[in-house]
Amino acid sequence: MAQYLLSIYEPAGDGLPDPEFLDTVMRELGVIREELAATGSWVFGQGLHAPETATVLRPRDGEVLVTDGPFVEGKEYLGGFTIIDVPDLDAALEWGRRYALATTLPIEVRPFQG
């Protein structure tokens, strides 16, 4: 078995989608999570607050500079993630496809080292 990170990227700006759409997405994500758990593939997952809630720590000249806000600014940001434990990349990509269809958002699938 190998662990993979499924990263969910959300568009920046414009706030949350309408509540009806969001309810549908959250129900479908709940179904996917239950199926992952039933197969023993669920490790951990959670949504994240918006990037402006981030605090960035940067080493500089033997000190650490603390700043508010995201590390980088862009059109998309990491909105949440799920860690799964599956037999191979094909299985990880299949779960990633399910997340992409459920959320209508880009999903990045990356293996953990080791």
Side-chain angles (χ1 to χ4, degrees):
M1 299 290 273
Q3 290 186 340
Y4 289 85
L5 174 69
L6 307 180
S7 302
I8 302 169
Y9 287 91
E10 298 182 18
D14 298 343
L16 293 174
D18 71 72
E20 185 176 307
F21 175 77
L22 191 56
D23 286 344
T24 301
V25 168
M26 296 310 290
R27 274 194 305 276
E28 183 60 26
L29 290 178
V31 168
I32 294 170
R33 180 178 177 181
E34 287 175 14
E35 290 180 28
L36 277 165
T39 64
S41 298
W42 174 262
V43 176
F44 180 78
Q46 194 67 27
L48 298 169
H49 286 284
E52 58 269 10
T53 65
T55 303
V56 179
L57 307 170
R58 288 186 177 88
R60 184 170 294 152
D61 301 323
E63 300 289 328
V64 176
L65 178 63
V66 179
T67 57
D68 292 335
F71 177 69
V72 295
E73 294 198 21
K75 294 180 182 179
E76 297 177 331
Y77 65 90
L78 180 62
F81 63 92
T82 299
I83 299 170
I84 59 174
D85 194 6
V86 294
D88 54 31
L89 177 60
D90 289 336
L93 291 175
E94 187 54 39
W95 287 110
R97 282 184 189 93
R98 300 242 348 245
Y99 273 87
L101 290 171
T103 63
T104 69
L105 296 170
I107 307 296
E108 178 182 72
V109 178
R110 292 178 68 181
F112 281 92
Q113 295 180 3

